[in-house]
Structures are given as C-alpha cells and as structure tokens.
C-alpha cells in the first residue's frame, strides 16, 4: 500500500465583506485592514488499489485582523443605548481546527464516489472568551456517488437549447 505524507502552509488575505456595510463611511469603517489567516494542514494518504484510497488530514487556521463590531463612544457596550454608534475595527481574532477522513473511489468501470467525514471547531474571541463562531459546524458528512448514463443531453446528436426560459431537448431514441 503506497503511503503519501502531505503537509502545507498558506498565508491568506481578503478584503472585509463590503456587502454587509463594513466599509461604509457612515456606519462601517473604510480604513479596515484586509482580513488574514494562517492555514496549516498535515495528513496521510493510503492507496489500496489504483482506484481506491483513504486520506486522513488535520488542519488548523488562525484568523487575524478580522472585522468586528465595536462602539464609537464610551456610552457602554449596548447598541440600544441612545447615542451609541456601532463601528468596525480590524482587531478580531479566531481559529478553526479539525480533521477529515476521505474514502475515495476514482472512476472504475464507470462508477466513482467518495465518503468524507469532517470533525471541526471554529471559534472567535469575544470579550476575552473563545466562543463558537456563527458558522461552526461540528460534524459534516458528505457522500457522493456517480455512474455515467448511456446518453448525454447537449451532445451534437441531442442538442440542449435554452430559449426564453424553456429547455428544448432533441429527440432521443430511449424516450
């Protein structure tokens, strides 16, 4: 059984989410820094045959310069206080970590598929405490299977044409 050891590191940046108003000069902050993250991963892959493999990987992601809501006055920590204006700063931090197990069947006699299980944690620091992130999903299971059909729509023999919101499918001998 060939065994492959994998490892990786990446430093990533992206602008804050402008769609939620974080960069608005009225209630956001146009001076926000790009949000950053250090990604680390390590794992192993075992190939049992040319078609069947098993991968186990662990990962850790440290988030920094994350946009977070702050208050622009000293009136207290509640947006319901009259005169309290919320703003955003780039001092948020967080982390995500976990592991994934992936059993994969590469195309074999036309069939392919995989089963993946992920166990993960995603947390953000809020007021000195590490709390689950809004999008934290502890357990994820994905199952995918595929088998090619004996015909394909959209091929030259059976064109797929979209006109005015309707799909016109060419005649097929099996229909």
């Amino acid at each position: 059984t060939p065994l492959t050891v994998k490892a990786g590191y990446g430093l990533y940046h992206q602008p804050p989410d402008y769609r939620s108003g974080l960069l608005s000069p009225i209630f956001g902050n146009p001076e926000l820094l790009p949000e950053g993250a250090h990604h680390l991963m390590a794992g192993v892959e075992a190939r049992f045959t040319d078609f069947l493999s098993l991968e186990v990987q662990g990962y850790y992601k440290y988030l920094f310069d994350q946009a977070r809501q702050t208050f622009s006055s000293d009136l207290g920590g509640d947006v319901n206080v009259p005169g309290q204006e919320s703003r955003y700063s780039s001092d948020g931090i967080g982390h995500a970590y976990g592991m994934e197990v992936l059993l994969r069947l590469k195309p074999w006699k036309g069939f392919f598929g995989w089963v993946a299980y992920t166990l993960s944690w995603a947390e953000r620091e809020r007021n000195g405490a590490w709390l689950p992130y809004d999008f934290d999903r502890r357990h994820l299971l994905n199952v995918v299977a595929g088998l090619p059909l004996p015909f394909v729509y959209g091929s030259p023999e059976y064109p797929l044409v979209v006109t005015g919101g309707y799909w016109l499918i060419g005649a097929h001998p099996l229909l």
Side-chain angles (χ1 to χ4, degrees):
T1 302
L3 189 66
T4 304
V5 177
K6 303 176 180 185
Y9 167 79
L11 173 61
Y12 300 93
H13 288 89
Q14 70 180 17
D17 188 359
Y18 68 90
R19 295 169 296 174
S20 62
L22 296 177
L23 300 175
S24 166
I26 298 170
F27 56 85
N29 180 354
E31 303 297 320
L32 288 175
L33 300 171
E35 296 179 322
H38 294 279
H39 292 227
L40 298 159
M41 65 75 59
V44 295
E45 176 182 359
R47 291 190 187 139
F48 303 112
T49 69
D50 289 341
F51 306 104
L52 186 63
S53 64
L54 177 69
E55 294 181 45
V56 178
Q57 295 184 9
Y59 68 91
Y60 179 79
K61 179 167 55 170
Y62 175 73
L63 308 166
F64 60 93
D65 292 340
Q66 301 293 299
R68 73 187 308 168
Q69 189 175 23
T70 58
F71 300 103
S72 59
S73 69
D74 292 327
L75 298 174
D78 188 344
V79 292
N80 295 319
V81 174
Q84 180 67 288
E85 296 179 15
S86 67
R87 298 279 295 173
Y88 290 88
S89 68
S90 292
D91 61 354
I93 59 172
H95 56 226
Y97 53 95
M99 55 88 64
E100 178 179 78
V101 177
L102 171 67
L103 179 64
R104 180 184 358 218
L105 178 66
K106 293 183 179 178
W108 176 69
K109 296 184 179 181
F111 180 75
F112 69 93
W114 63 83
V115 176
Y117 171 72
T118 304
L119 175 64
S120 67
W121 289 264
E123 301 171 321
R124 297 285 174 103
E125 185 275 328
R126 293 185 190 128
N127 300 321
W130 288 96
L131 302 172
Y133 184 53
D134 296 339
F135 300 109
D136 181 34
R137 299 292 176 263
R138 190 62 33 91
H139 303 279
L140 299 168
L141 178 65
N142 292 299
V143 179
V144 174
L147 185 64
L149 298 174
F151 55 88
V152 176
Y153 284 113
S155 67
E157 294 90 19
Y158 310 105
L160 175 64
V161 181
V162 179
T163 59
Y166 295 96
W167 290 31
L168 304 175
I169 301 174
H172 191 278
L174 296 177
L175 298 178

